[in-house]
Amino acid sequence: LKCTQLVCWVAARALRSMPAMSKMRNSAAACVAGAAAVESLCGVPVGPQALLGFALATGSTPGLSAQPPRQPLRGAGTGAGASQDGAAGALAAVGVAATAVAGAAVGAAAVAGSTRGARQAARRSKKAARFVSTLEQPAAAEAKLGIEVLERYVKEKGGNRVLKRILIANNGMAATKAIISMKQWAYLELGLENILEFIVMATRDDLDANAEFIRLADTFIEVPSGKNIFNYANVDLICETAKAQKVDAVWPGWGHASENPELPKKLKALDIAFIGPTSNVMSVLGDKIAANILAQTAGVPSIPWSGDGLTANLTDEGTIPDETFKKGCVFTAEDAIDCAERIGYPVMVKASEGGGGKGIRMCTSKEEIEANFSQVQAEAPPGSPVFVMQLCTGARHIEVQIMGDMHGNAVALSGRDCSTQRRFQKIFEEGPPSIVPKDTFTEMERAAQR
């Protein structure tokens, strides 16, 4: 009875670690292996059964040296690494455990003098192991087919790099939606849902909560808990994890390190693709002053501000020249007052860096600018430039979604109405922005593409 429970426990542990799509195929192997081991025990006398139990408990099986599993089970609870093939590792674990149990039965039967029982148990054990091995072959063939399909698809589309192993450097809804979306794309476009491999970073809090994105992933890597600077916003940790797991690309999601230019820069040095903008583009668009100058250079209409009318020829690194950038800044409260009197009150005094509703004040007079300028500087990241922009009253906050590639192509993917805000932060976003006239929004999309 104890040996039967052991076999069932091993099978259950292995099946629980397998991806959902592999459970039905691999459960047959576990059943056959378990049945062979249990049947081999049924005819053994009571004395040898006790000997068998002792052998299993001490790990020493008479006449059989069980080999370790080919790969560990899925997951990396210690953060040291994870199996890249959870299903195959689980199959190997079931096969080895069942073979060891059946082999122990052979040794025990030999001690009792039951030669016939030993031969039958050996034949059943070999048959079970052969069946497990047979089921492993399609899994390997499917993986090879997936690589070939991806390579052919990338070549047909004019690409130059195959992305198969992807690290999701985020958690929660961002990671969940990313994995589901990529799996759906792979199924609809290539006919293979599991052609991509997903490695996720998970804190102890995520593991304790049994987060959905961990279940959807092929492998998880445990990272430190606490503030995001210790995990999902830690650029060095993300790069170390990507290198250790030998991934092809990193997807940062939103928030955390997704807008840190250092992440794509360091990943490029490791020859790992970053699914997102380059560090140069991120630097320009992540800074409010630089983004406004870039928009004006592209012919996008802008409201009056401290740098209105400025255009720039980008440097070789793709950034705004420092001389032009400084013309859009205000360095003192007196500079801000002069700008406000030129463009007209009311105005917004804003920090160029940061976000989250911090570093922004509405001012309707000279006295308010004098009182609020130092507060804006205090709330912004240290050393952040400050600028002044005319306040648009009764306006809507409309965003246009843009996707571009490294070849200079850009496409507008509709937009969102983000007007519902509290404390300068969006509460929810409505899409598509039905409040905007169609002709007006079409022109906004074209301006965004430029």
Side-chain angles (χ1 to χ4, degrees), residues 150-164:
L150 271 178
E151 290 177 345
R152 183 167 62 251
Y153 180 85
V154 172
K155 185 176 181 180
E156 290 175 354
K157 298 298 181 179
N160 54 13
R161 187 168 191 168
V162 176
L163 305 180
K164 179 173 175 57

Side-chain angles (χ1 to χ4, degrees), residues 349-417:
V349 180
K350 302 174 66 175
S352 184
E353 300 174 3
K358 302 295 184 181
I360 179 172
R361 289 288 189 280
M362 182 182 72
C363 302
T364 59
S365 64
K366 171 183 176 181
E367 291 73 22
E368 290 186 2
I369 292 180
E370 292 175 342
N372 292 333
F373 190 84
S374 58
Q375 295 181 17
V376 170
Q377 290 180 316
E379 291 181 1
S384 171
V386 178
F387 68 104
V388 176
M389 179 171 282
Q390 189 181 69
L391 174 64
C392 286
T393 58
R396 289 268 182 171
H397 181 135
I398 308 295
E399 297 183 356
V400 178
Q401 310 304 303
I402 292 295
M403 178 175 289
D405 62 17
M406 60 188 297
H407 306 291
N409 302 309
V411 60
L413 305 174
S414 190
R416 298 181 290 191
D417 186 344

